[in-house]
Amino acid sequence: MSFGTPYPSHPLILDDIRGAQKMLSGVARMTPMEGSRYLSRLVGSPVHFKCENLQRTGSFKLRGAYVRISGLRPEERAAGVVAASAGNHAQGVALASSLLGVRSTVFMPVGAPLPKVAATREYGADVRLHGHVVDETLAAAQEYAHDTGAVFIHPFDHRDIIAGQGTVGLEILEQCPEVRTIVVGVGGGGLAAGIAVAVKALRPDVKVIGVQAEAAAAYPPSLAAGHPLAIDCSPTMADGIQVGRPGDVPFGIVEELVDEVRTVSEDDLSSALLLCLERAKLVVEPAGASPVAALLSAPETFKGPVVAVLSGGNVDPLLMQRILRHGMAAAGRYLSLRLRLTDRPGALAMLLGVLSVADANVLDVGHVRTDPRLGLTEVEVELHLETKGPEHCEEVASALREAGYTVMP
């Protein structure tokens, strides 16, 4: 495959990505590569994290935004740029514009997390809150572009954006030349497409595997149909890859060069985020942890060495709190159960004593005394416990049964 010859179905070549890399010198960081011993044991060969969560603005989005805005003509720069985003793209456009001396306006949904709104403003953008869903925000940004002449900066559906994101692929080959599989989250497809162009030109033997959230997986049906299809996305914690339709430009690249696109569940995503935090000491947003979720769900299907791209780390603290609880539950670290006691002094203390011996941490206790199914002297107790894993959950339940308690589903 010639490095200077375009792929037949898309207008992007390796030289474009090398040019983007030169453009980004001194702007985007070469983010570190960190090994994961836990995942390496599961997969049976080395697994590394490409830590784009440690990139400036907290995600890879700065790369594409900077290359796109750098390519604007003087009269386009003078008109300013506009974007629509709930987070990462907003911050990437804001910082890139500031670095290039271009005025930026960013539309964000009314319910966007406050830390992301504040960060976008601090990077220099004029932030306007509009709409409650991204489609409404996008429409407002496009109307603004039409009315003012500002250049709309699409988050993924432009060759310059893809060229910028493809620099991640060049860095991976430099940092881990022995790589055999690269796993990357997929929303609109810009990052996966850019990585695929760079990697397949230099190392066609390396597999590139995309990962989508099951609730927002537009690529599998689109690939089956042979053209981009719009789907109705369900709610997902991985909002960074919650895209209802693949981009036209990245779709052609993904269809030709990406080896496979998989999906992961919400439980997979929360478990992956928890693993990144506990084992790797890395703060990663759910979309950024999607490659880890894929590795956790089917580790035996990946040929190593593997590089998992952690694409972003911008997660709202309140969302992080909920996701961690979800992840601990999915990992068997929480146990919820109900049982009935005789409603007399000391009964609850005896129950808690059994749990103490079983080394279960009580998080919450609820009493029900008014249910018609209960006898006059009965009380139903609902317990929420923190445990050490699935085996410990069973040990705690067994200890309660041995103590004479009936554990109800």
Side-chain angles (χ1 to χ4, degrees):
M1 186 176 291
S2 171
F3 295 167
T5 303
Y7 295 105
S9 63
H10 58 82
L12 197 67
I13 60 174
L14 179 62
D15 284 347
D16 295 319
I17 297 175
R18 284 178 166 160
Q21 188 174 45
K22 291 178 182 178
M23 194 179 296
L24 288 167
S25 177
V27 175
R29 298 173 180 145
M30 178 182 277
T31 49
M33 191 87 77
E34 299 288 344
S36 171
R37 284 178 292 182
Y38 180 82
L39 285 175
S40 296
R41 287 196 300 269
L42 284 183
V43 173
S45 60
V47 174
H48 306 280
F49 294 149
K50 174 60 172 167
C51 299
E52 281 295 291
N53 59 310
L54 302 179
Q55 184 57 261
R56 296 179 71 178
T57 74
S59 88
F60 70 97
K61 290 288 190 177
L62 171 66
R63 298 174 184 262
Y66 190 89
V67 173
R68 173 75 173 99
I69 298 169
S70 293
L72 297 178
R73 299 187 303 274
E75 61 270 23
E76 290 176 321
R77 291 193 182 200
V81 300
V82 61
S85 168
N88 291 345
H89 181 57
Q91 293 173 64
V93 168
L95 179 57
S97 300
S98 293
L99 293 173
L100 291 164
V102 176
R103 184 177 70 257
S104 64
T105 302
V106 176
F107 285 79
M108 304 182 76
V110 173
L114 292 179
K116 294 184 179 182
V117 174
T120 304
R121 285 196 173 114
E122 288 168 8
Y123 288 130
D126 173 15
V127 175
R128 304 190 181 192
L129 301 179
H130 185 93
H132 295 278
V133 296
V134 174
D135 286 345
E136 295 173 353
T137 308
L138 179 63
Q142 291 173 327
E143 182 179 356
Y144 178 89
H146 179 268
D147 293 343
T148 65
V151 179
F152 179 69
I153 305 299
H154 199 284
F156 51 81
D157 206 9
H158 193 281
R159 66 186 311 278
D160 290 348
I161 293 285
I162 298 170
Q165 321 305 28
T167 59
V168 175
L170 295 181
E171 290 181 13
I172 289 172
L173 294 182
E174 180 180 344
Q175 293 171 298
C176 185
E178 68 279 11
V179 63
R180 295 183 66 190
T181 304
I182 297 172
V183 193
V184 56
V186 177
L191 178 60
I195 289 174
V197 171
V199 170
K200 292 294 186 176
L202 295 169
R203 286 280 308 280
D205 60 300
V206 174
K207 292 189 70 174
V208 178
I209 297 177
V211 183
Q212 293 205 288
E214 286 178 356
Y219 263 92
S222 296
L223 291 170
H227 57 86
L229 294 175
I231 65 166
D232 292 326
C233 293
S234 300
T236 174
M237 66 180 72
D239 59 341
I241 53 175
Q242 189 179 16
V243 177
R245 184 186 184 278
D248 292 327
V249 178
F251 177 81
I253 301 173
V254 171
E255 183 180 38
E256 184 176 348
L257 298 180
V258 172
D259 295 275
E260 182 184 355
V261 176
R262 303 186 181 188
T263 61
V264 292
S265 69
E266 297 298 291
D267 282 352
D268 293 332
L269 288 165
S270 57
S271 295
L273 188 144
L274 185 62
L275 181 142
C276 289
L277 188 63
E278 284 193 325
R279 300 294 184 116
K281 309 300 183 265
L282 291 168
V283 176
V284 184
E285 62 190 88
S290 58
V292 179
L295 288 166
L296 284 174
S297 64
E300 71 285 352
T301 63
F302 292 89
K303 292 183 179 180
V306 177
V307 172
V309 181
L310 306 182
S311 57
N314 293 317
V315 56
D316 177 50
L318 295 177
L319 177 62
M320 172 71 87
Q321 186 180 42
R322 295 197 299 269
I323 291 171
L324 289 178
R325 287 199 300 265
H326 190 275
M328 291 182 72
R333 301 271 294 279
Y334 284 149
L335 175 62
S336 296
L337 46 81
R338 294 181 300 120
L339 39 82
R340 291 180 183 178
L341 305 177
T342 302
D343 193 8
R344 59 181 175 78
L348 182 59
M350 291 178 61
L351 171 62
L352 296 179
V354 174
L355 295 173
S356 177
V357 172
D359 202 20
N361 183 35
V362 179
L363 300 175
D364 192 27
V365 180
H367 286 78
V368 177
R369 288 187 170 87
T370 58
D371 194 306
R373 295 172 299 175
L374 297 174
L376 289 175
T377 60
E378 287 183 320
V379 59
E380 185 173 285
V381 175
E382 183 175 1
L383 296 167
H384 299 279
L385 311 173
E386 182 182 0
T387 64
K388 301 173 183 176
E391 291 183 2
H392 189 212
C393 286
E394 185 54 41
E395 291 172 4
V396 172
S398 296
L400 289 169
R401 294 187 188 99
E402 290 172 5
Y405 297 101
T406 300
V407 178
M408 297 179 292

